[in-house]
Amino acid sequence: MEPDLFTAAAEDRQEKDPAGSPLAVRMRPRTLDEVVGQQHLLKPGSPLRRLVGEGATGPAGPSSVILWGPPGTGKTTLAYVVSKATNKRFVELSAITAGVKEVRAVIDGARRAIGGYGKETVLFLDEIHRFSKAQQDSLLPAVENRWVTLIAATTENPYFSVISPLLSRSLLLTLEPLTDDGLRDLVRRAVADERGLKGAVTLPEDTEAHLLRIAGGDARRALTALEAAAGAALDQEETGISLQTLEQTVDRAAVKYDRDGDQHYDVASALIKSIRGSDVDAALHYLARMVEAGEDPRFIARRLMISASEDIGLADPNALPIAVAAAQAVAMIGFPEAALTLSHVTIALALAPKSNAATTAIGAALDDVRKGLAGPVPPHLRDGHYKGAAKLGHAQGYVYPHDLPEGIAAQQYAPDAIKDREYYEPTRHGAEARYADAVEWTRQHLGRDGS
């Protein structure tokens, strides 16, 4: 669908008076070299380079692409750069407002442009996951015959939201959330650039750090918050954006938390100790501080897995599987949804019965080994499968427990040096009471109860 008179007039006004556009729009890169992040998609010869005419000569033309990534990672920006840099006809549609009729109009226009004056068409389709199967089907002939080169953008997994025939005819390019370093470069450029704030305000280090935290890898969110805070600072005749001004503008307090310093370890320690102490509310408070500060969710998940074994153990045998499942989920989904999973496992661990018997058991066993209390393996337990083992007395006299009615054989298993040691001292908390009964019974039948 070609731009109408009013759309064209609005775009022309933006070109002539860019100050009326949002900061995120004004700071859009003009070339691929200005793009922050996504360098894995911008190497020489990449599909995006070919779309703007770099190396797109000969019989192998540029491919249609599907850009998949979270909001604010540059999907629309990349399409915008292509629209400015390519010598092809560029048409933009949004799946929110367009339907089959509009798609067919673009395709008809593309065929006329090719036949009439040899002009190829690039179609940018935003939010393609909102198109129904029938609407996506309408794109197939144009993509297959290259009447249009499609750039489709989606925030949802295209393997679930885009039809297979369209996926097979396109290259899937995955965009990553911007790193703090990338966002920092972008924000500093916006403060100084003539298209941005033109140096009208400064951005102190503590304010910048909070801005990066609340952005969460989203460039658009970072620039939107920066523009709002800069406006508030200028209204108050301030030359710099104070942390307080940014907090008031975005309505999010700055969490005192250094991801590389003491706060990182202090808050993590408080989280684990609150879980150990069964204070679910305190545990959730420290979890919230870590989440709000932008802590790596995988770090939190690892700490919770350790807690499940260290402080709960066999008092609730389901604690560790829950923590492991949470870690796997967190690795796949990331923030913000990962906060729900971390809350789930934190509550479960905090309210679980507690036992550190597994922790103290391995600690005591390791202590003896380090002291040299090891000794040779009893001969009847040694490997007897190789030739000559019997002559050495290996595996001779070993009693196979499954041959006995109760499935337990009263024979020595530990080396002589520690044969009377009892490392595991179970509690009777929760499910570990069952293990306490089992330990008592087995030690008695092994003849190790002192009788």
Side-chain angles (χ1 to χ4, degrees):
M1 182 173 61
E2 301 294 342
D4 59 29
L5 180 62
F6 299 104
T7 302
E11 291 177 350
D12 183 60
R13 182 177 178 181
Q14 275 192 350
E15 291 285 344
K16 294 178 179 178
D17 182 24
S21 302
L23 181 62
V25 173
R26 301 201 306 272
M27 290 307 301
R28 275 181 180 164
R30 293 159 293 192
T31 67
L32 289 178
D33 293 330
E34 289 186 2
V35 173
V36 174
Q38 317 308 337
Q39 295 307 306
H40 61 295
L41 302 180
L42 301 175
K43 297 175 182 177
S46 67
L48 292 174
R49 294 281 183 187
R50 290 171 58 77
L51 275 171
V52 300
E54 299 180 19
T57 59
S63 303
S64 291
V65 297
I66 296 175
L67 303 175
W68 172 33
T73 51
K75 298 182 294 297
T76 304
T77 291
L78 289 172
Y80 174 81
V81 171
V82 171
S83 74
K84 294 297 180 185
T86 185
N87 57 2
K88 300 178 178 64
R89 178 173 169 268
F90 189 90
V91 182
E92 179 179 354
L93 291 179
S94 172
I96 298 175
T97 56
V100 173
K101 178 182 176 182
E102 288 77 14
V103 170
R104 287 176 177 164
V106 171
I107 294 172
D108 289 342
R111 297 182 69 178
R112 287 195 300 271
I114 292 175
Y117 44 94
K119 194 78 168 177
E120 297 178 22
T121 298
V122 174
L123 169 60
F124 174 54
L125 180 59
D126 201 10
E127 307 278 354
I128 190 174
H129 56 271
R130 294 179 179 269
F131 260 10
S132 66
K133 181 179 182 298
Q135 289 172 315
Q136 292 184 34
D137 280 336
S138 67
L139 292 164
L140 290 176
V143 173
E144 185 167 20
N145 293 294
R146 203 170 281 168
W147 299 331
V148 300
T149 300
L150 176 68
I151 305 178
T154 179
T155 56
E156 297 191 5
N157 190 329
Y159 289 105
F160 299 119
S161 59
V162 178
I163 59 174
S164 296
L166 193 54
L167 270 177
S168 68
R169 290 164 173 80
S170 309
L171 294 175
L172 177 59
L173 306 181
T174 305
L175 283 74
E176 305 290 344
L178 296 184
T179 63
D180 280 357
D181 288 340
L183 277 177
R184 187 177 294 107
D185 290 343
L186 181 65
V187 166
R188 290 179 180 179
R189 185 192 304 171
V191 169
D193 198 283
E194 285 298 311
R195 292 179 296 154
L197 300 177
K198 305 178 183 180
V201 291
T202 59
L203 191 64
E205 188 175 335
D206 58 345
T207 308
E208 180 184 76
H210 184 42
L211 181 62
L212 299 183
R213 279 196 293 268
I214 63 177
D218 186 325
R220 189 183 302 109
R221 186 184 302 166
L223 292 176
T224 299
L226 172 63
E227 184 174 29
L234 292 172
D235 287 345
Q236 298 167 25
E237 298 183 350
E238 297 174 352
T239 58
I241 304 174
S242 67
L243 180 59
Q244 181 181 10
T245 297
L246 178 61
E247 288 178 311
Q248 292 172 347
T249 303
V250 299
D251 194 28
R252 286 182 69 175
V255 180
K256 293 182 179 179
Y257 187 98
D258 179 1
R259 280 175 282 181
D260 298 316
D262 291 343
Q263 285 287 326
H264 167 83
Y265 297 104
D266 288 348
V267 177
S269 174
L271 168 66
I272 298 307
K273 288 174 180 173
S274 298
I275 290 173
R276 183 181 299 145
S278 300
D279 190 332
V280 64
D281 302 302
L284 286 169
H285 166 78
Y286 292 117
L287 173 63
R289 282 172 63 169
M290 298 173 83
V291 170
E292 184 68 10
E295 180 61 82
D296 185 343
R298 296 169 299 178
F299 168 78
I300 303 174
R302 287 194 296 269
R303 297 296 303 168
L304 293 175
M305 283 192 289
I306 295 168
S307 174
S309 288
E310 181 181 6
D311 296 315
I312 297 169
L314 294 171
D316 183 353
N318 289 320
L320 181 58
I322 289 173
V324 171
Q328 293 172 337
V330 162
M332 288 190 285
I333 61 179
F335 281 145
E337 291 84 355
L340 307 178
T341 304
L342 293 171
S343 173
H344 174 163
V345 68
T346 296
I347 293 170
L349 299 186
L351 297 181
K354 304 297 190 296
S355 170
N356 71 340
T359 301
T360 57
I362 188 61
L366 285 169
D367 187 53
D368 275 354
V369 170
R370 288 163 182 161
K371 289 177 180 176
L373 295 176
V377 173
H380 60 284
L381 298 185
R382 297 176 190 175
D383 181 19
H385 288 90
Y386 62 92
K387 187 176 181 180
K391 293 181 180 179
L392 296 173
H394 292 186
Q396 302 302 300
Y398 172 68
V399 180
Y400 190 55
H402 296 296
D403 290 339
L404 303 180
E406 292 182 319
I408 188 167
Q411 58 191 338
Q412 182 177 331
Y413 291 94
D416 289 341
I418 55 100
K419 67 178 183 178
D420 295 323
R421 286 283 200 279
E422 294 183 353
Y423 296 121
Y424 181 44
E425 299 180 4
T427 70
R428 290 198 169 271
H429 302 161
E432 196 166 37
R434 175 167 59 91
Y435 292 92
D437 291 337
V439 165
E440 183 179 340
W441 185 87
T442 54
R443 284 174 178 163
Q444 180 182 357
H445 282 71
L446 287 170
R448 293 178 48 212
D449 63 343
S451 60

